[in-house]
Amino acid sequence: MKKLCLLGATGSIGKSCVDIVNRFPEKFSIRYVSAHRNIEDLFALAQQFRPEIAVLSGTTVEAAWQTKFKRIGVKIESGVEALAELAGQSDYDLLVNAVVGAAGLQPTLSAIGQNKNVAIANKETLVTAGDLVTRLSRQKNVQLFPIDSEHSALWQCLVGEDPCSIERLILTASGGPFRELPASEFKNVTVEQALRHPNWAMGQKITIDSATLMNKGLEVIEAFWLFDVDLEDISVLIHPQSIIHSMIEFRDGSIKAQLGLPDMRVPIQYALSYPERIANDLPRMDFMQFSELTFMAPQTDKFKALNLAYHSLREAGTAPAVLNAANEEAVYAFLGKKIRFDQIPAFVEDALEKHSNHRDVTYESVLHADRWARRYVGEKII
Ligand code: NAD
Ligand code: MG
């Protein structure tokens, strides 16, 4: 029985993870669990799984709810500190980090500090502090199991291969809902349109990131840290059907791809069960329904976010943390209808230009850069 600490259990990835746990109750259990604000859903999870501790990271827990949790014998705590402490518990097997945003960094570091392997959906952790996280993981002999479908695909393609034989990683991208929309129309894009992703049902932040292609930029950085390849050897390919989840070209010219229906439960299950593959009854792919798989180059002049991500990683130091924090602020401002869709990458670019880079990637320098970027963008938006 693998005992999980599941952070962000009420989100899109969190719910899919719960679905997998429900399918294999003899293999997985939830010992620790968190949500940010949704106390009702957190309580329902607590009733079902009876974890040791449940944490509500984003707000305090009212007395009436505290009584309810007490009645079912589940300790309830609140706040960001409690979230980091939860991940820093010693008696569980695998952290599943399904939190959204840079808030996922501190709990990831706590888990690594306790020598826990981390199944990581929270890509922002690796974007903001990939250097620090991978360094600590090596020191602690901890493994990072990617949940992001592209990175899970790359990880699966690497089974049985010598990582030195990689020539190129090819990250696929659907291109989002505005692949065909002229750039001149971007200023008129509404929140509702941007939230309509063609292939995946996901949380709001990543859905907007997919529409700007920042998501792919974040994933390039994520792949850089997870697979330790040169940035120039990571390429992006638009593949609107989202059937090929990513590919690796090896030095002999052979290419391996991982395919399947777009269903996050597959990579989540793999990260939970690794190195085992467990039989399941999730929907299977019917090739006759996908008689055409198509590919095209990303339109980087239309989707500026992709190059900004490459640029920040070339700058290194705290530049990727600034990219990420500025993007988070701009995305939430767009969702709050305070800025236009086409302004999202513009705010990120501006923040990257203005920030003074710290070469040394420590928790403190990353936190400082993250706060600076949020303040900078926040002040510009008001
Ligand atoms: P979501 O918004 O649906 O869920 C986020 C979860 O984190 C919720 O449980 C929420 O309560 C919690 N949360 C929100 N803000 C928090 C904070 N500041 N501190 C702690 N917890 C907080 O998001 P999602 O779509 O499930 O994405 C989660 C992560 O997984 C993101 O990093 C995303 O990029 C990544 N990811 C998601 C998908 C997908 O299909 N949804 C695919 C690949 C990667
Ligand atoms: Mg992805």
Side-chain angles (χ1 to χ4, degrees), residues 227-247:
F227 301 105
D228 199 20
V229 294
D230 288 345
L231 183 56
E232 277 60 38
D233 296 335
I234 307 176
S235 56
V236 171
L237 182 66
I238 303 296
H239 164 48
Q241 297 80 18
S242 298
I243 293 298
I244 296 181
H245 299 311
S246 278
M247 302 184 259

Side-chain angles (χ1 to χ4, degrees), residues 123 148-151 206 215-216 219 222 264:
K123 65 190 82 185
D148 214 345
S149 57
E150 295 76 3
H151 306 75
I206 185 176
N215 184 49
K216 213 47 55 179
E219 290 184 357
E222 187 184 6
M264 286 309 295

